[in-house]
Amino acid sequence: MFGHSWVSQYGANPAGLAGDTWGTVLAGLTGEQIAQGMRETLALGSDWPPSAPRFRAMCIGIPSLAATQHAMRTGATDPFTRQAWTYIDSFQFRSADADQAARMMRDAHELTVRFVMDGGELPAEPVAAIAVDPAPEHVPASPDFARQRIEEIQRQLGAGEVA
């Protein structure tokens, strides 16, 4: 896929140090995961291959920092973004300036990457919102009922007659 770019970076010998490194990094991945990493690599449109750790991350579905930041800004609810939000104090985030918010998102992305790379399970589905019954329609009291209530309150307070 990368031709000379690959060879200049990793060499042509698959039995060398680069082959050992990539073999270690890719150990435990399924063929489908590696195929996913290849599709993600192709989608990057880069002339250079990703690093071995970045390729592994792409194989197991870890989005880039830019993709995560975009997802967080747009309210996406994918599992990776939901997990990243668990590392952010939402009160501090809402009151942060742009630089502070960006740092918080970077930190959350880094922690989520570590969580997934260490074998953590991303949340499968968002928690459903708590259903709230709509407020009953307000029906104002009739003038007679209101007058009776006012008279009763005045009697209890020892006030005079209602005019």
Side-chain angles (χ1 to χ4, degrees):
M1 183 183 286
F2 292 101
H4 177 70
S5 300
W6 179 272
V7 172
S8 68
Q9 190 170 356
Y10 297 110
N13 183 0
L17 180 61
D20 291 344
T21 300
W22 277 79
T24 300
V25 169
L26 300 180
L29 295 179
T30 66
E32 178 53 37
Q33 287 174 314
I34 292 174
Q36 176 63 29
M38 296 298 286
R39 288 189 294 273
E40 291 292 322
T41 300
L42 184 60
L44 289 176
S46 177
D47 292 337
W48 292 94
S51 67
R54 179 65 191 128
F55 183 75
R56 181 179 179 83
M58 293 186 321
C59 289
I60 59 177
I62 295 176
S64 67
L65 172 60
T68 300
Q69 288 174 324
H70 176 72
M72 293 176 95
R73 284 188 201 104
T74 59
T77 60
D78 63 277
F80 190 90
T81 303
R82 286 195 313 273
Q83 182 65 37
W85 274 116
T86 68
Y87 297 111
I88 292 180
D89 179 322
S90 59
F91 177 78
Q92 287 182 350
F93 185 78
R94 282 191 307 273
S95 59
D97 65 30
D99 289 339
Q100 291 169 326
R103 177 174 299 274
M104 292 172 84
M105 285 189 278
R106 277 193 308 273
D107 291 348
H109 179 266
E110 183 180 315
L111 290 167
T112 307
V113 168
R114 180 63 187 252
F115 174 79
V116 173
M117 294 293 259
D118 285 346
E121 293 283 328
L122 293 175
E125 291 293 324
V127 175
I130 298 173
V132 177
D133 293 332
E137 184 178 336
H138 176 70
V139 179
S142 69
D144 288 338
F145 180 79
R147 185 167 200 54
Q148 290 172 0
R149 293 295 296 144
I150 291 171
E151 288 173 356
E152 182 181 330
I153 292 169
Q154 286 178 329
R155 273 193 303 277
Q156 289 175 355
L157 295 175
E161 290 290 319
V162 177

